[in-house]
Amino acid sequence: MKVMVPSCLETYPGFGNYRGLASYETSFEAEGNIRLEFKGVSHFARVFVDGEETAQHYGSYTPFDICVKNLSPGMHSLKVIVDNDFRDEYVLDFPNDYMSYGGISRGVALEYIKDIYIDWIHVTPLREADGIWSIRAEVACQNLSESPLYADVRLKFLDTEACCQGKLLPPGKSIITFEDLEIADACPWSMEDPVLYPVSAALLQNGAVVDDMIERTGLRLVRVEGTSVLLNNKPLRIKGFCRHEDHPQYGCALPAEAIAYDLQLIKDLGANSVRTSHYPNDELFLDMCDELGILVWEENHARGINGDRMKSPYFEEQCEQVIREMITAHYNHPSIYIWGILNECGSETEYEKSCYRRQYDLIRHLDKSRPCSSASCRFGTDICQDLPDVCSWNIYPYWYDDDTASQKLQKLHDWLNTDGNGGGKPLLITEVGAGGIYGFRDTSSDVWSEDLQAEILEKQLKEIAASDDCIGMYIWQFCDVRVSRIWWALRRPKSRNNKGIVDEYRRPKLAYRIVRDIFTSLPNYREK
Ligand code: ADA
């Protein structure tokens, strides 16, 4: 079968519920050294160049790359065997409340490289005073040869240029750091004015450029102060949506136009943030959020993993890999204001707590410029609330819970400030919502009607917005999504999670107007 990539296996005729192996084959022209970057292959990939296996990678939602040296001039074959099955060793993938699609679901890039090349640039805005920004820039270089090589490493951001001359690059990876570079005449990135700048790096040998890279970033500061999260010193109010990468026609491989359409609707709804539940998203999405001034909670890949599964010998290693790949790839996106981990995973035993601690430590080691958090639902029994920078809770008043939203918030606040050990920090509602099946209108507002969904959303959002204890909310969820075939069948009519404000084809439900009225009436910032 001839297919386009990126795409999902489940969207090919006859493959709607396929689980297992698939082989993708193509050819390319090259000579010398190449680098292939796969932006996302679900769940497991084996890569073969000219019949030789060059890489294996597990993890659907983060990029990986391979380098192949000394290719002879001419055509070469590329084969990728993917596996979207559920296996014990794929600990992050199992039947779940979303569809785990398979295939080469994100883009693939081919680069011609020399023996040394630039792997990535990371820019960290440090501070701003009198209109002058200070940044730190790191440039990661790779030396593919077996001997040390010398190169000049140049960096340019607006009118600021820096150069590290005659740098010794041993075989493998080296990171060159430019501390405290001053950038004059730069505007901050904000939701209202999302200004972006290119930053470029070049590697030179004997005065000639052997590789370069152009990245894009924005200058803004994120910081937690007391019970607020500050963006450029202003306390944020989050009005957001949780969003799965899911579409009836494209699976999780949404083309740029479909992503852009989602973001237009999200803007129209008056939202200012998206939570990438429950995995890192395609860089196309993040690029658009950067451009539109939409804040992003980006999270690693883990939904509802219970304590037993967390004890799998693969669990920590696979979570750590996702975190590393996510932060390395997405570091420069100014829209990302927080990293999330382990949505509704086990958080009630000392062992489970040690997993959170290790993951937060890793995030803080990789990125000191953003806070981190985890969305919990284990009210009263979660013992991890002393660890995150922001306490984040998924609540479903009027739907799964008997409490009103105000009652639930009060209970959460009181518990966090006592036995919950999460007092004095920002409190964020990371999920709130109710189900409604598109087209089911009902004068008696029965369960699954759009009418009941709209009534519940109105109460939830108004009560949460009225609370001073909380910095905002994410609605679960933007659009209806497909769930795994055997997941909680009786509570997932149509095999969909029907809590979308639009259905899977992005048709607005009754709740759309209500959400828009409430979100547009709330400013982007809270009083200090
Ligand atoms: C949880 C979970 C979501 C979704 C939601 C629901 O809070 O984080 O992935 O399953 O509940 O619809 O019940």
Side-chain angles (χ1 to χ4, degrees):
M1 182 189 298
K2 214 168 180 132
V3 299
M4 288 238 327
V5 293
S7 60
C8 293
L9 285 174
E10 293 81 352
T11 59
Y12 312 149
F15 283 78
N17 271 301
Y18 183 77
R19 292 237 164 257
L21 298 174
S23 175
Y24 291 77
E25 289 175 31
T26 190
S27 56
F28 63 92
E29 194 171 359
E31 172 180 1
N33 299 345
I34 59 153
R35 174 175 173 268
L36 278 164
E37 186 182 7
F38 295 85
K39 314 262 182 189
V41 182
S42 291
H43 314 153
F44 181 70
R46 295 175 64 193
V47 181
F48 300 78
V49 174
D50 293 336
E52 211 168 297
E53 184 157 3
T54 50
Q56 296 194 346
H57 181 264
Y58 169 67
S60 313
Y61 306 104
T62 41
F64 65 98
D65 65 355
I66 57 163
C67 292
V68 186
K69 285 167 53 176
N70 303 324
L71 287 177
S72 57
M75 296 303 289
H76 298 273
S77 73
L78 172 64
K79 179 162 93 175
V80 183
I81 297 182
V82 310
D83 184 9
N84 74 337
D85 219 338
F86 295 127
R87 300 181 195 277
D88 288 346
E89 59 270 34
Y90 305 162
V91 75
L92 309 176
D93 291 284
F94 51 96
N96 216 324
D97 200 6
Y98 61 93
M99 183 69 182
S100 308
Y101 292 98
I104 302 180
S105 50
R106 294 185 185 163
V108 183
L110 168 66
E111 274 184 86
Y112 303 121
I113 51 172
K114 303 275 195 296
D115 278 349
I116 50 174
Y117 69 94
I118 300 171
D119 201 357
W120 48 256
I121 309 170
H122 284 174
V123 175
T124 312
L126 299 174
R127 63 191 162 274
E128 187 263 342
D130 303 325
I132 299 184
W133 282 82
S134 299
I135 63 158
R136 180 189 313 112
E138 290 164 294
V139 181
C141 301
Q142 291 280 359
N143 176 354
L144 295 178
S145 77
E146 265 128 49
S147 33
L149 294 170
Y150 289 91
D152 297 344
V153 186
R154 254 200 223 150
L155 187 99
K156 186 163 165 34
F157 191 125
L158 288 175
D159 291 336
T160 302
E161 287 189 47
C163 186
C164 175
Q165 288 193 319
K167 177 78 191 163
L168 174 77
L169 303 175
K173 180 162 147 190
S174 316
I175 296 180
I176 292 92
T177 304
F178 298 91
E179 281 293 352
D180 248 321
L181 293 178
E182 290 202 338
I183 313 289
D185 299 325
C187 300
W189 183 96
S190 66
M191 290 185 274
E192 299 73 24
D193 194 9
V195 181
L196 297 168
Y197 295 108
V199 50
S200 59
L203 272 181
L204 295 90
Q205 283 182 307
N206 304 321
V209 175
V210 289
D211 193 28
D212 70 349
M213 176 177 270
I214 303 172
E215 262 286 14
R216 193 177 69 165
T217 195
L219 301 172
R220 88 282 173 277
L221 297 169
V222 182
R223 154 170 88 84
V224 169
E225 191 180 271
T227 54
S228 295
V229 176
L230 307 183
L231 179 73
N232 298 329
N233 291 321
K234 292 199 262 179
L236 281 176
R237 179 199 310 277
I238 297 298
K239 308 178 278 175
F241 283 97
C242 298
R243 174 178 173 274
H244 270 295
E245 291 180 321
D246 192 280
H247 193 286
Q249 279 163 307
Y250 314 115
C252 66
L254 274 74
E257 294 81 353
I259 299 174
Y261 185 59
D262 282 1
L263 288 171
Q264 269 166 0
L265 293 182
I266 284 167
K267 274 268 180 193
D268 181 58
L269 279 154
N272 61 14
S273 185
V274 175
R275 176 176 169 227
T276 70
S277 46
H278 298 298
Y279 35 78
N281 272 23
D282 193 323
E283 65 187 14
L284 285 175
F285 167 85
L286 298 169
D287 283 342
M288 291 184 210
C289 289
D290 289 346
E291 288 170 14
L292 291 167
I294 294 178
L295 295 169
V296 176
W297 161 308
E298 174 144 85
E299 82 189 22
N300 75 343
H301 181 205
R303 182 208 169 274
I305 303 183
N306 62 28
D308 285 345
R309 205 172 173 90
M310 288 167 79
K311 288 197 181 123
S312 151
Y314 303 102
F315 174 73
E316 297 222 50
E317 175 199 318
Q318 293 180 353
C319 287
E320 177 177 320
Q321 186 188 320
V322 175
I323 289 173
R324 282 185 187 282
E325 291 173 344
M326 167 176 84
I327 294 183
T328 304
H330 297 164
Y331 192 90
N332 295 328
H333 289 283
S335 54
I336 299 175
Y337 77 104
I338 191 167
W339 301 114
I341 55 165
L342 300 177
N343 172 75
E344 295 191 353
C345 294
S347 53
E348 291 158 320
T349 68
E350 282 304 327
Y351 167 71
E352 292 158 12
K353 185 167 184 176
S354 73
C355 298
Y356 285 76
R357 188 178 291 115
R358 266 188 294 277
Q359 293 193 24
Y360 286 131
D361 285 351
L362 177 62
I363 293 176
R364 289 173 178 138
H365 166 70
L366 295 170
D367 182 1
K368 296 180 179 39
S369 72
R370 294 173 172 95
C372 43
S373 188
S374 170
S376 177
C377 63
R378 296 171 197 254
F379 175 68
T381 56
D382 186 310
I383 58 164
C384 302
Q385 294 297 303
D386 53 326
L387 300 177
D389 300 308
V390 174
C391 293
S392 302
W393 284 82
N394 299 344
I395 60 171
Y396 284 87
Y398 308 107
W399 186 252
Y400 299 135
D401 298 348
D402 294 331
D403 288 326
T404 65
S406 314
Q407 285 165 340
K408 186 77 192 192
L409 284 177
Q410 190 60 53
K411 284 185 184 172
L412 256 177
H413 179 261
D414 293 347
W415 175 73
L416 284 169
N417 280 285
T418 52
D419 298 347
N421 285 323
K425 301 188 205 182
L427 169 63
L428 178 59
I429 298 304
T430 26
E431 287 180 29
V432 65
I437 293 177
Y438 179 81
F440 174 31
R441 300 288 295 275
D442 187 39
T443 45
S444 44
S445 290
D446 266 347
V447 176
W448 298 119
S449 66
E450 287 190 37
D451 310 68
L452 180 62
Q453 184 196 29
E455 285 166 26
I456 292 182
L457 255 302
E458 181 164 16
K459 287 191 277 194
Q460 290 171 333
L461 300 197
K462 284 188 170 161
E463 289 174 44
I464 296 171
S467 159
D468 285 339
D469 296 332
C470 156
I471 65 161
M473 69 204 106
Y474 287 93
I475 294 176
W476 184 268
Q477 59 180 336
F478 168 63
C479 64
D480 292 348
V481 300
R482 196 173 166 194
V483 303
S484 298
R485 210 172 192 189
I486 51 171
W487 206 81
W488 219 9
L490 294 178
R491 298 182 92 167
R492 292 294 177 263
K494 293 168 64 197
S495 290
R496 299 281 182 278
N497 184 312
N498 294 295
K499 297 191 188 73
I501 300 307
V502 298
D503 78 346
E504 60 270 47
Y505 291 99
R506 279 54 178 173
R507 296 174 296 192
K509 300 183 195 171
L510 257 190
Y512 190 104
R513 274 173 180 280
I514 287 172
V515 171
R516 183 168 61 181
D517 286 349
I518 297 173
F519 271 3
T520 48
S521 73
L522 297 170
N524 282 338
Y525 303 96
R526 300 160 64 236
E527 302 286 313
K528 267 218 178 170

